[in-house]
Amino acid sequence: MKRSNRLVALTNFFLENPRTHTQFPYFVSQLATTKASISEDMDIIDAVFRSEGIGYLRRTTGAGGGVKFIPACVDEKNKCFVEALRQKLKDPVRILPGGYLYMSDLLGDPKTVREIGRVFASTFSKKNIDVVVTVATKGIPLAYAVASFLNVPVVIVRRDPKVTEGSSVSINYVSGSSRKIQTMVLPKRSLSEGAKVCIIDDFMKAGGTITGMINLLEEFHATVQAIGVLAEADDEEEERVINDYTSLIKISNVDMKKKAIDVHFGNFIQ
Amino acid sequence: MKRSNRLVALTNFFLENPRTHTQFPYFVSQLATTKASISEDMDIIDAVFRSEGIGYLRRTTGAGGGVKFIPACVDEKNKCFVEALRQKLKDPVRILPGGYLYMSDLLGDPKTVREIGRVFASTFSKKNIDVVVTVATKGIPLAYAVASFLNVPVVIVRRDPKVTEGSSVSINYVSGSSRKIQTMVLPKRSLSEGAKVCIIDDFMKAGGTITGMINLLEEFHATVQAIGVLAEADDEEEERVINDYTSLIKISNVDMKKKAIDVHFGNFIQ
């Protein structure tokens, strides 16, 4: 295969297989070329990936040596994307009863969801994550987007057990906003003991749901490595129980009567 | 930018922006090159995309002319993928009470989910689809995968209204398997009148859930252009009410006692 064709095929391969270690002989045989040529191809791809803010190629040498594509956005690109999101969320027409924001249109756009996933995956790039955990249903697309860049599976915590998932572990917890006792379940087969977990959700107020997830994950002896929420809302009546999390957007001063709202950057920018 | 660098940047652009019409002047200015060079780049990319079964570039000339990447797998590649899936699903350890199959591990793998999305998007490539609709919660990741290749939004039908979605339209329907009356809701803001819809779900037995979705969609005067289910199960007690659908996998003769199951190709291969 010619260099120009190889570059297209290799670029596609890396983008479709993030964080996947691939040995050089695989490329040599697939693309019918030499190791030296592949190495030059990778120099070109790595340079473009870096300059375009897509990520980079991590190469290892020696026996079993190969290459891994690490998706990683530059901070500036992430900030631009979140700023665009912030502008969209500022629209007071989004205010819903109870101080919630209508975000289903943004969460229904696969491209926006993918970009949110890219921002979290970049932010959590150095953490050692085995699995992304979310709670049904709004966090699901975000969890898949993050997981696809991290190349790990997704596990979904539910409000009620389903016949299609077999036996489950369940816990009860008190929801911060409604003060009601709620239930969360996780199928036994879905998570291996001691997994290193990243929790992803769309919205956090007092943090009751995420606390519930942490408690449930303790039953599986999982370690929470990272917590990412798209939007957090200041809730003055409640003390935040979760401290170590990353948010992209922060909402405050929701005034239902005046239809006013403040939308800021979350804590993802230090 | 040099050709080799342009090829990497353009390949990334097309893969990230399927079914998006982009005019040539955009590339000319972004990549600091000439229209003739861009045109040659596209010949190379188109040839590799076709030979690797990734899809193709559709170019239009004249005023407003440009290019669109259409993801489209070749039938042979789709068939290989579904065959691998079929082999995994054949494991009798997956059999659950009620003739269901445990599929959460496969549905939890973002790569498998993405490939399923690619197969459906290829199959429905010629249909005129505005939006992908699914029902919470198992179908959600599949719906996003299909939608990302079709470059359309996702709308999620729920079992109960949520405060974060505003006012909703709801219908009641009789579930085929449990004979219970169930409810489905769709927020008013989520779907525009007369939308052309593709329904995606993970599992279909008698088809009661999908019939319910069709009835709910009628309230929005939507037209169902395509229905895709990952797996369908023969249910001898029930007459199938949905006929025009695409399934990747077909399950039959589930024998709980003998722990036996037959897993065939669905009707996606004509």
Side-chain angles (χ1 to χ4, degrees):
Chain A
M1 210 188 253
K2 279 165 60 182
R3 160 142 301 146
S4 50
N5 292 23
R6 287 200 313 265
L7 287 171
V8 176
L10 281 168
T11 301
N12 175 65
F13 179 87
F14 289 125
L15 295 174
E16 289 286 344
N17 299 282
R19 288 182 172 264
T20 306
H21 179 81
T22 312
Q23 295 187 334
F24 293 118
Y26 173 82
F27 297 117
V28 171
S29 79
Q30 284 287 311
L31 302 174
T33 184
T34 63
K35 200 180 158 188
S37 296
I38 290 287
S39 189
E40 285 168 33
D41 297 344
M42 296 204 181
D43 290 340
I44 296 167
I45 294 171
D46 184 54
V48 179
F49 277 11
R50 285 175 193 267
S51 72
E52 301 274 313
I54 298 164
Y56 57 92
L57 300 185
R58 185 188 289 158
R59 278 172 277 188
T60 45
T61 50
V67 62
K68 201 186 257 196
F69 160 53
I70 310 290
C73 262
V74 286
D75 288 350
E76 204 46 48
K77 201 172 160 185
N78 286 342
K79 206 175 161 182
C80 277
F81 167 73
V82 177
E83 172 59 17
L85 210 58
R86 195 176 76 83
Q87 292 301 330
K88 285 179 195 156
L89 287 172
K90 273 169 74 176
D91 189 345
V93 93
R94 295 185 174 275
I95 302 176
L96 292 169
Y100 290 93
L101 265 203
Y102 183 81
M103 305 198 295
S104 299
D105 56 334
L106 300 173
L107 291 177
D109 174 35
K111 213 162 152 177
T112 303
V113 166
R114 191 169 155 82
E115 287 310 311
I116 296 168
R118 201 196 301 269
V119 176
F120 281 123
S122 293
T123 311
F124 302 150
S125 176
K126 298 271 158 62
K127 312 244 180 193
N128 190 1
I129 292 166
D130 297 329
V131 57
V132 173
V133 176
T134 190
V135 63
T137 55
K138 297 272 193 159
I140 296 176
L142 297 177
Y144 274 83
V146 177
S148 73
F149 286 109
L150 294 178
N151 190 30
V152 297
V154 176
V155 165
I156 301 169
V157 173
R158 290 176 201 281
R159 303 293 183 176
D160 44 1
K162 291 200 78 169
V163 63
T164 50
E165 300 216 305
S167 60
S168 299
V169 176
S170 76
I171 59 143
N172 298 314
Y173 72 102
V174 179
S175 159
S177 42
S178 66
R179 288 255 167 249
K180 277 196 300 193
I181 293 178
Q182 302 212 28
T183 306
M184 274 186 186
V185 298
L186 199 49
K188 270 192 191 165
R189 318 195 191 189
S190 66
L191 195 65
S192 53
E193 286 277 310
K196 297 189 192 71
V197 164
C198 165
I199 292 177
I200 294 290
D201 209 357
D202 62 321
F203 202 81
M204 177 169 80
K205 288 186 86 174
T209 305
I210 288 176
T211 310
M213 287 171 79
I214 294 171
N215 293 342
L216 181 55
L217 289 168
E218 278 168 4
E219 297 293 318
F220 291 82
H221 303 104
T223 335
V224 178
Q225 303 284 100
I227 299 171
V229 294
L230 170 57
E232 60 168 316
D234 263 351
D235 191 338
E236 284 166 20
E237 290 167 41
E238 297 287 337
E239 210 178 319
R240 178 69 44 83
V241 283
I242 305 286
N243 293 305
D244 193 10
Y245 63 89
T246 301
S247 65
L248 304 194
I249 295 283
K250 186 170 186 163
I251 294 161
S252 63
N253 300 321
V254 181
D255 190 327
M256 289 292 296
K257 278 188 197 156
K258 290 187 190 154
K259 285 275 176 196
I261 186 173
D262 289 341
V263 184
H264 321 268
F265 277 119
N267 66 9
F268 88 106
I269 292 170
Q270 301 307 325
Chain B
M1 210 188 253
K2 278 166 60 183
R3 159 139 305 145
S4 50
N5 293 24
R6 287 200 312 266
L7 287 171
V8 176
L10 282 168
T11 301
N12 175 65
F13 178 86
F14 289 125
L15 294 174
E16 289 286 345
N17 298 282
R19 289 182 170 263
T20 306
H21 179 81
T22 312
Q23 296 187 333
F24 294 118
Y26 173 81
F27 297 117
V28 171
S29 79
Q30 284 288 310
L31 303 174
T33 184
T34 62
K35 202 182 156 188
S37 296
I38 290 287
S39 190
E40 286 169 31
D41 296 344
M42 296 206 181
D43 289 340
I44 296 166
I45 294 170
D46 184 55
V48 178
F49 277 11
R50 284 175 194 267
S51 72
E52 301 274 313
I54 297 165
Y56 57 92
L57 300 185
R58 185 190 287 159
R59 278 172 277 187
T60 45
T61 50
V67 62
K68 201 186 256 196
F69 161 53
I70 309 289
C73 262
V74 285
D75 288 349
E76 205 46 48
K77 201 171 160 186
N78 286 342
K79 206 175 160 181
C80 278
F81 168 72
V82 177
E83 173 58 17
L85 210 58
R86 195 176 75 84
Q87 292 300 332
K88 285 178 195 157
L89 289 172
K90 273 169 75 177
D91 189 346
V93 94
R94 294 184 176 277
I95 302 175
L96 292 169
Y100 289 92
L101 266 203
Y102 183 80
M103 305 197 295
S104 299
D105 56 334
L106 299 173
L107 291 177
D109 174 35
K111 215 161 151 177
T112 302
V113 166
R114 190 167 156 83
E115 287 309 312
I116 295 168
R118 201 195 300 269
V119 176
F120 281 124
S122 294
T123 310
F124 302 150
S125 176
K126 298 272 158 60
K127 311 243 181 193
N128 190 2
I129 292 166
D130 296 330
V131 55
V132 173
V133 176
T134 189
V135 63
T137 56
K138 297 271 192 157
I140 296 176
L142 297 178
Y144 274 83
V146 177
S148 73
F149 286 109
L150 294 178
N151 189 31
V152 297
V154 176
V155 165
I156 301 170
V157 173
R158 291 176 200 281
R159 303 293 185 178
D160 45 1
K162 290 201 77 168
V163 64
T164 50
E165 301 216 305
S167 60
S168 299
V169 176
S170 76
I171 59 143
N172 297 314
Y173 72 103
V174 178
S175 158
S177 42
S178 65
R179 288 256 166 247
K180 277 197 300 193
I181 293 178
Q182 303 212 27
T183 306
M184 274 186 185
V185 298
L186 199 49
K188 270 193 192 164
R189 319 194 190 189
S190 66
L191 194 65
S192 53
E193 285 277 310
K196 296 189 193 71
V197 163
C198 165
I199 293 177
I200 293 290
D201 209 358
D202 62 319
F203 202 79
M204 177 170 77
K205 288 187 85 176
T209 304
I210 288 176
T211 309
M213 288 171 79
I214 293 172
N215 293 341
L216 181 55
L217 289 168
E218 279 167 4
E219 297 292 318
F220 292 81
H221 303 104
T223 335
V224 177
Q225 303 285 98
I227 299 171
V229 293
L230 170 57
E232 59 169 315
D234 263 351
D235 190 338
E236 283 165 21
E237 289 167 43
E238 296 287 337
E239 210 179 319
R240 179 68 47 81
V241 282
I242 305 286
N243 293 304
D244 193 11
Y245 63 90
T246 300
S247 66
L248 304 194
I249 295 282
K250 186 171 187 161
I251 294 160
S252 62
N253 300 320
V254 181
D255 190 328
M256 290 291 297
K257 278 188 197 157
K258 290 187 190 156
K259 285 276 177 197
I261 186 173
D262 289 342
V263 184
H264 321 268
F265 277 120
N267 65 10
F268 87 107
I269 292 169
Q270 302 306 325

